[in-house]
Amino acid sequence: MIGRLNHVAIAVPDLTAAAEQYRNALGASVGAPQDEPDHGVTVVFIELPNTKIELLYPLGEDSPINGFLEKNPSGGIHHICYEVDDIISARDHLLATGARVLGSGEPRIGAHGKPVLFLHPKDFNGCLVELEQV
Ligand SMILES: C[C@@H](C(=O)O)C(=O)SCCNC(=O)CCNC(=O)[C@H](O)C(C)(C)COP(=O)(O)OP(=O)(O)OC[C@H]1O[C@@H](n2cnc3c(N)ncnc32)[C@H](O)[C@@H]1OP(=O)(O)O
Ligand SMILES: [Co+2]
């Protein structure tokens, strides 16, 4: 059911410093910061030849990454995003296996303009999973 790795997201305490480090120290192709108010984050995408890295920084009071950054003040890997062809059938299959879909359970439009869903980290070996329909 899952296809390619779309991105690995890293929550960071300083978005400008992290973007500069990927650009200058790691020599990566780093995009511009993008506010995602519906998701409570500002993101910077880093394009690698085979996948992307999503740097995440909280946006607004109720950011879903606030708790994570409180527990991990120097940042850390926050989620991993897999591509699926059909997000509704993927969701329904996952629900039937007992996995918890976060939020309302309905896909929302993510940073690439495509529908996304999140699965509870406690159901996936401590790893928050994002699914993106491509
Ligand atoms: C723009 C878009 C895109 O790419 O298109 C994005 O990615 S938006 C990316 C940001 N959006 C999201 O993350 C949306 C989905 N996330 C959420 O709904 C939330 O972040 C939760 C995953 C439910 C966690 O919420 P919160 O931290 O408030 O809950 P909590 O403190 O009760 O945490 C419950 C337990 O899960 C753990 N926990 C929390 N966040 C975690 C993470 N990212 N990875 C692994 N474990 C995690 C906590 O340590 C805790 O474990 P213990 O009980 O053992 O201490
Ligand atoms: Co993401």
Side-chain angles (χ1 to χ4, degrees):
M1 186 173 68
I2 60 170
R4 286 156 46 99
L5 174 65
N6 185 278
H7 60 267
V8 175
I10 306 174
V12 302
D14 182 334
L15 191 56
T16 307
E20 283 310 300
Q21 183 185 45
Y22 270 80
R23 185 178 287 117
N24 297 327
L26 291 172
S29 170
V30 178
Q34 206 176 304
D35 285 348
E36 299 292 338
D38 289 352
H39 293 276
V41 289
T42 301
V43 302
V44 166
F45 274 102
I46 295 156
E47 296 281 342
L48 304 183
N50 61 341
T51 191
K52 294 184 276 292
I53 303 297
E54 179 184 54
L55 302 179
L56 289 176
Y57 187 78
L59 178 67
E61 302 276 304
D62 300 323
S63 173
I65 72 169
N66 281 342
F68 184 89
L69 275 173
E70 273 162 30
K71 282 189 183 161
N72 304 279
S74 41
I77 294 181
H78 183 263
H79 66 264
I80 188 158
C81 178
Y82 301 117
E83 298 181 355
V84 294
D85 289 332
D86 181 338
I87 202 164
I88 297 298
S89 79
R91 176 198 64 187
D92 291 346
H93 173 73
L94 282 154
L95 287 171
T97 69
R100 283 168 288 175
V101 175
L102 293 167
S104 71
E106 292 307 316
R108 290 192 295 155
I109 298 302
H112 305 117
K114 310 266 179 65
V116 301
L117 278 176
F118 290 87
L119 307 172
H120 202 291
K122 295 293 180 195
D123 296 341
F124 287 91
N125 314 291
C127 181
L128 175 60
V129 173
E130 178 180 4
L131 299 178
E132 179 172 318
Q133 180 173 295
V134 291

